[in-house]
Amino acid sequence: MFQTEKSLQGAIEQLYSDHRGWLYGWLRRKLGCAHHAEDLTQDTFLKVMLSRDALSGMRTPKAFLTTTAQHLLIDRARRQMIEQRYLAELAALAESCPGYPSPEQILETLQALELISIMLESLSPRPRQAFLMHYLEGMPQSTIAEALSVSTRMVRKYLVQALLHCQAAFPDHA
């Protein structure tokens, strides 16, 4: 087993040294920001390291790294969309109410949204998609069922699975 761990570490180091520069350059061109590209490059390799099985079946490292990075870009865009919608809601609320959330309340809410985002990243794709469509976009279960080509009952199962996953991930916040 020690030898397997050592060979796995070697494979990760080789993948990193062979492709880190290329991936960083690709992300920098895509994002237009060196800092964000650096963060996403590291996140991509971290995700690869955490899914050890991916290394054993990897035939085309650049394609695998590109796909992983694109998924992270999508997750990043989702987080930004959540934050933008929340801030827009706050702005609308501030205009209509004399009192509005304090900076501390805003920070707490953004931290809660970040926890939800982390939870969603560890959820399987279908339940995550159903959760986002229902709770973020406000879509009814029947519309989600059509979009996912599943039954409404399956959508309900996905939503329950997502909520239970959230509760299990953050039991102190339930």
Side-chain angles (χ1 to χ4, degrees):
M1 181 163 206
F2 178 72
Q3 188 62 31
T4 304
E5 285 294 317
K6 196 171 187 176
S7 64
L8 179 63
Q9 182 179 353
I12 291 170
E13 288 172 3
Q14 187 67 46
L15 179 70
Y16 186 83
S17 66
D18 288 351
H19 299 287
R20 186 227 168 270
W22 168 83
L23 182 62
Y24 168 77
W26 182 80
L27 285 167
R28 179 142 192 229
R29 283 188 302 279
K30 196 146 188 84
L31 295 170
C33 173
H35 299 293
H36 291 267
E38 187 64 44
D39 288 344
L40 273 165
T41 299
Q42 295 306 321
D43 290 347
T44 300
F45 282 102
L46 178 62
K47 193 155 185 117
V48 170
M49 285 179 9
L50 293 175
S51 79
R52 296 169 175 226
D53 296 337
L55 285 173
S56 63
M58 190 183 307
R59 301 238 190 279
T60 53
K62 284 186 178 180
F64 184 81
L65 291 170
T66 302
T67 300
T68 303
Q70 285 175 331
H71 287 139
L72 290 171
L73 282 169
I74 290 167
D75 291 341
R76 180 177 177 267
R78 282 185 186 137
R79 277 192 303 275
Q80 287 176 336
M81 183 177 66
I82 290 170
E83 287 178 17
Q84 288 171 353
R85 284 187 179 179
Y86 176 71
L87 292 173
E89 226 15 76
L90 283 178
L93 185 63
E95 290 175 9
S96 66
C97 298
Y100 55 90
S102 69
E104 293 82 14
Q105 290 170 317
I106 293 170
L107 178 63
E108 286 175 12
T109 304
L110 288 174
Q111 288 172 338
L113 290 171
E114 184 65 23
L115 287 174
I116 292 169
S117 177
I118 291 167
M119 181 280 307
L120 288 173
E121 287 177 13
S122 64
L123 192 60
S124 51
R126 289 283 181 124
R128 177 178 50 232
Q129 192 173 5
F131 181 90
L132 291 171
M133 293 168 89
H134 186 69
Y135 290 106
L136 185 63
E137 298 174 21
M139 294 173 69
Q141 293 177 11
S142 58
T143 306
I144 297 169
E146 281 182 41
L148 298 179
S149 300
V150 296
S151 67
T152 305
R153 184 174 182 199
M154 194 70 222
V155 170
R156 280 193 293 275
K157 285 183 180 181
Y158 287 154
L159 293 174
V160 167
Q161 182 182 356
L163 292 171
L164 289 174
H165 183 74
C166 188
Q167 184 179 17
F170 308 107
D172 296 338
H173 298 345

